[in-house]
Amino acid sequence: MPKDWAGVDLHLDLDTSGGRRAGLERALRAAIGTGRIAPGAPVPSTRALAGHLGLSRGTVTAAYDQLTAEGYLTAIPGSGTRVAEAATRGSPRPPAAEPGEPGAPVHDLLPGRPDLSTFPSSAWLRSTRRVLASAPPGAHALGDPRGRPELREALAGYLGRARGAHADPARIVITSGYAQSLGLLATVLAGAGPVAMEEPGHPFHRAIVRRAGLDIVPLAVDDLGARPGGLDRAGIAVLTPAHQYPAGATLAPDRRRAFTTWARDTGGVLIEDDYDGEFRFDRQPVGALQGTAPDHIVYGGTTSKTLGPALRLAWLVLPAHLVEPFAEAKRLADAHTQSLAQLVLADLIDTHAYDRHVRASRLRYRRRRDLLVETLRARVPHVRVLGIAAGLHALVLLPPDGPGEDEIMRRAASRDLALMPLRDHWQDPAGRPRGFIVGYSTPLGPTYPAALDALCAVLA
């Protein structure tokens, strides 16, 4: 613990009209009482604050002593002076909503993120140390909007061997999450015509496309994946071929050929969202669709499902003619994705720590999915679980003659269980199957069985 807090900056609205010490005390009380200085935060040393404000050190020391006596500050020998933990009189901070923290549901089965308690912190720290020890000074400057060359090289090798993609580093662009990838693509391809998107599909992704001013053509989904019917009205198609979201199907071989033939014959652009392609449990994952037509397919990947969404690291492998327009759109959006995390991820991939984490996660999620299917089959056999043995979620369909989504959501709320209904994933939910998308990767490890108990009680 540092003993000298001289380096801590502190802005105070100081009014000394009633005396310097009194004015300093008022300013400190206001800053602490409104929460502008957080409980537990250090305050500057008396010498540093006196020099900054032009006051005598004795005046600052007396003010600190008074606020310590009042309970605003606490002095810990060897650790300097800090704001007392119970000092803030202002409005409380909003509660956090992460699993296991105040304000979060007791049982969280929402889809969309991995088990965050398994983030490979030790491996990330080792890679970070290597990167900081060896990174050139230019790593801290504005860089290529396409991303760091180290990460593009590492991804080219990884995507080729793990996902069967044709990934030339010169055709890879690093983005700040798949949402940015899709939004920038929609802008770059705005003149290509309507966008065919899976139905049901991700509502947030539809909103991104609509915001760019593009119309959406629905592609019906069944247990063989998206149907190619409707492509004649579109110039762009967005697919999740390895593991359709949310239905969980894999795109059948004849449909893969139909989509790539459409792209070749018409000049249309296919966007492949390979959001969780590494996680196939019953067999080797299906290779990327992009590998069959790299000049017509944009391949999109992300660390959101393998490591965590907060990293905001994603990538596109683009046809050659789209690299420069997309890189320019990225430059205008945010210059480039932050460099140090890119270098750390490159090191994780090069040292195979990333592969080891993915393999361990694959086994963990397979066990979770197996337990979900077995539990529902034994305790609530009237519901159906759709989708292949893959990914981080399963689609659970309700029987047509039982309680609907609204009733199940009310029951879930009474048990503090977070679920995602299927209805928002349809462009028109009228007359559609009813169900829920269960994220079995979301609960922290020890809480998963209890979450399944709550789910069964709600569906019973």
Side-chain angles (χ1 to χ4, degrees), residues 128-439:
T128 300
R129 286 172 173 161
R130 283 193 290 268
V131 164
L132 290 176
S134 61
H140 306 286
L142 286 176
D144 189 333
R146 295 176 300 168
R148 291 293 306 184
E150 297 90 339
L151 179 55
R152 290 188 282 124
E153 287 280 353
L155 281 171
Y158 173 78
L159 295 174
R161 63 178 168 79
R163 298 299 301 125
H166 289 202
D168 183 339
R171 290 164 61 165
I172 295 176
V173 177
I174 310 301
T175 66
S176 302
Y178 178 74
Q180 185 186 59
S181 296
L182 183 59
L184 294 180
L185 278 172
T187 300
V188 170
L189 299 172
V195 182
M197 301 188 76
E198 296 165 331
E199 172 76 350
H202 204 305
F204 182 49
H205 295 171
R206 285 201 299 262
I208 291 172
V209 170
R210 287 198 178 103
R211 186 178 183 185
L214 295 172
D215 294 329
I216 293 175
V217 176
L219 295 176
V221 171
D222 57 26
D223 58 0
L224 298 179
R227 298 175 182 172
L231 284 176
D232 57 330
R233 295 179 286 140
I236 309 162
V238 181
L239 301 175
T240 51
H243 187 221
Q244 200 277 330
Y245 182 85
T250 292
L251 191 63
D254 61 331
R255 296 187 182 181
R256 288 167 67 97
R257 288 190 293 271
F259 277 104
T260 54
T261 298
W262 165 80
R264 288 192 182 98
D265 291 349
T266 67
V269 177
L270 285 174
I271 300 171
E272 178 178 12
D273 178 4
D274 196 37
Y275 66 102
D276 66 359
E278 292 95 340
F279 296 129
R280 182 72 187 258
F281 309 139
D282 58 344
R283 47 163 287 181
Q284 181 177 333
V286 174
L289 186 64
Q290 185 265 3
T292 66
D295 293 330
H296 301 276
I297 298 176
V298 177
Y299 175 92
T302 176
T303 61
S304 291
K305 304 301 184 288
T306 54
L307 296 175
L311 290 178
R312 310 314 301 145
L313 283 174
W315 48 85
L316 293 179
V317 184
L318 296 147
H321 69 281
L322 292 178
V323 172
E324 289 304 322
F326 187 88
E328 177 63 8
K330 171 65 177 172
R331 185 184 71 84
L332 295 174
D334 61 357
H336 65 90
T337 298
Q338 77 105 332
S339 296
L340 286 180
Q342 292 188 56
L343 292 171
V344 173
L345 179 59
D347 187 83
L348 278 179
I349 294 172
D350 288 340
T351 59
H352 303 299
Y354 188 75
D355 290 76
R356 290 191 292 272
H357 174 71
V358 168
R359 286 198 301 271
S361 299
R362 188 183 296 131
L363 178 60
R364 184 181 308 111
Y365 298 143
R366 174 177 184 166
R367 290 170 175 166
R368 287 193 177 204
R369 185 184 187 279
D370 288 347
L371 183 58
L372 170 69
V373 173
E374 293 166 3
T375 301
L376 294 180
R377 182 181 295 125
R379 296 171 58 179
V380 281
H382 56 280
V383 302
R384 285 199 302 143
V385 180
L386 297 189
I388 61 172
L392 310 182
H393 76 274
L395 178 57
V396 177
L397 290 185
L398 300 172
D401 56 349
E405 292 177 0
D406 290 340
E407 172 61 23
I408 297 298
M409 289 295 288
R410 282 191 290 270
R411 295 181 188 179
S414 71
R415 293 182 175 269
D416 210 1
L417 169 66
L419 288 175
M420 179 173 286
L422 181 59
R423 61 187 174 217
D424 294 336
H425 294 72
W426 300 102
Q427 295 196 66
D428 179 10
R432 304 291 192 177
R434 303 171 302 172
F436 290 86
I437 305 159
V438 177

Side-chain angles (χ1 to χ4, degrees), residues 14 20 48-57 60:
L14 189 61
R20 293 186 173 186
L49 190 60
H52 177 65
L53 297 177
L55 302 175
S56 71
R57 188 178 180 189
V60 176

